[in-house]
Amino acid sequence: MTFRRPAALAALFLTLAAPAALAQERYITVASTTSTENSGLFDYILPTFTEETGIEVRVIAQGTGQALDTGRRGDADVVFVHAKAAEEEFVAEGYGVERIEVMYNDFVIVGPAEDPADIAGTSDPVAALTAIAETESTFASRGDDSGTNKKELGLWEQAGIDPSSEWYRELGSGMGATLNTAAQMPAYTLTDRATWISFENRGPLEIVLEGADSLFNQYGVILVNPERHEHIKAEDGQAFIDWLVSEEGQQAIGSYQLDGQQLFFPNAGSGPS
């Protein structure tokens, strides 16, 4: 019977030590877009934040609509997304504390090199989508209520087109998966530039339209309201937001490049949110 005493003591020690170890662990959950994840931005900036603060950031990468729903449920401490109207609604409903602008880039329309809708060089995204519809050229839509999907649907609405025909494919996928599918079809699609730059399996796809003012892509960050969900790690979540908009955080975002190209442009504090 004496051989059991050390095992019992060891078990008791582990039981007492576990709460202390857990108490030392600091982390927040951030629901963010697939573009910030797929582009490699988080892999680049988050280690610096964690090293300086001791706060680990666990990212849930999903479309903006899903990310905001994650915040509504209280399953994330911070949301970091890119659909201003939806973000403002999130705050107005009391789910978020404040929307703060962090950075921007732009959207581009990519498509097959042979360009069946003949839109290469077009400067008007609405005219380009109209041509895609008129020629019934295949278009791959994320169809996932993401910020990119919201932008795309807004452009179809401006064109006065209900894209429900056979040539319009709703995938319900993230940006990387949508680009993969578009390359295989091949098809036109709308993508954020950062994901496009980091995407390697382009196949026959190339940028056919870029540079329009209407394709501006602003990102915002919001602390989930701790008054609605008491378990929200408000202090650590705010520390992350404060770092993102600080001089150091903004420099980290702006210095991230792939193939010599800057993917995101910091603009915290540049104007009203």
Side-chain angles (χ1 to χ4, degrees):
M1 296 293 292
T2 56
F3 68 92
R4 295 186 180 179
R5 188 178 299 276
L9 289 174
L12 177 61
F13 174 78
L14 290 174
T15 301
L16 293 174
L22 290 173
Q24 293 174 1
E25 184 180 31
R26 292 179 66 188
Y27 72 90
I28 58 170
T29 301
V30 175
S32 189
T33 71
T34 59
S35 59
T36 49
E37 180 78 359
N38 291 345
S39 66
L41 176 69
F42 280 153
D43 288 338
Y44 181 76
I45 68 172
L46 293 185
T48 300
F49 170 74
T50 298
E51 182 178 357
E52 293 188 3
T53 65
I55 303 170
E56 177 191 353
V57 179
R58 301 178 180 178
V59 178
I60 302 173
Q62 50 194 177
T64 286
Q66 294 173 311
L68 291 171
D69 284 341
T70 297
R72 286 186 177 94
R73 294 192 303 269
D75 292 335
D77 305 293
V78 173
V79 292
F80 189 177
V81 291
H82 63 143
K84 184 175 180 179
E87 296 164 45
E88 290 176 335
E89 181 181 3
F90 180 81
V91 173
E93 291 172 343
Y95 291 104
V97 175
E98 179 186 10
R99 176 184 179 273
I100 300 173
E101 296 191 341
V102 177
M103 63 188 189
Y104 70 92
N105 57 16
D106 64 344
F107 295 105
V108 297
I109 296 178
V110 301
E114 62 267 25
D115 190 22
D118 193 25
I119 62 175
T122 304
S123 59
D124 181 1
V126 172
L129 292 186
T130 300
I132 290 171
E134 289 177 346
T135 57
E136 297 188 350
S137 300
T138 306
F139 187 95
S141 170
R142 284 183 59 168
D144 63 349
D145 196 34
S146 61
T148 305
N149 186 217
K150 291 176 186 293
K151 169 62 73 172
E152 176 223 316
L153 294 177
L155 292 172
W156 287 117
E157 184 177 358
Q158 290 177 47
I161 296 172
D162 178 13
S164 56
S165 300
E166 188 174 334
W167 52 267
Y168 184 77
R169 310 290 179 84
E170 290 186 277
L171 304 180
S173 301
M175 195 68 256
T178 297
L179 284 170
N180 270 318
T181 302
Q184 293 167 10
M185 287 180 168
Y188 293 99
T189 193
L190 180 74
T191 177
D192 67 283
R193 190 182 293 271
T195 304
W196 173 251
I197 291 173
S198 62
F199 181 64
E200 297 180 351
N201 185 33
R202 297 180 179 181
L205 300 183
E206 60 184 34
I207 294 177
V208 293
L209 190 150
E210 61 183 332
D213 290 343
S214 60
L215 297 182
F216 180 76
N217 183 27
Q218 178 70 53
Y219 288 78
V221 66
I222 305 169
L223 178 69
V224 175
N225 192 349
E227 294 183 1
R228 188 175 286 267
H229 300 288
E230 294 182 355
H231 62 276
I232 294 300
K233 302 181 181 72
E235 183 176 347
D236 288 350
Q238 188 61 53
F240 177 58
I241 293 172
D242 290 344
W243 183 83
L244 284 174
V245 302
S246 70
E247 181 177 354
E248 182 179 9
Q250 292 282 281
Q251 287 179 348
I253 291 169
S255 65
Y256 179 54
Q257 295 188 354
L258 283 178
D259 298 328
Q261 300 180 74
Q262 185 173 341
L263 276 67
F264 299 94
F265 298 84
N267 68 340
S270 62
S273 62

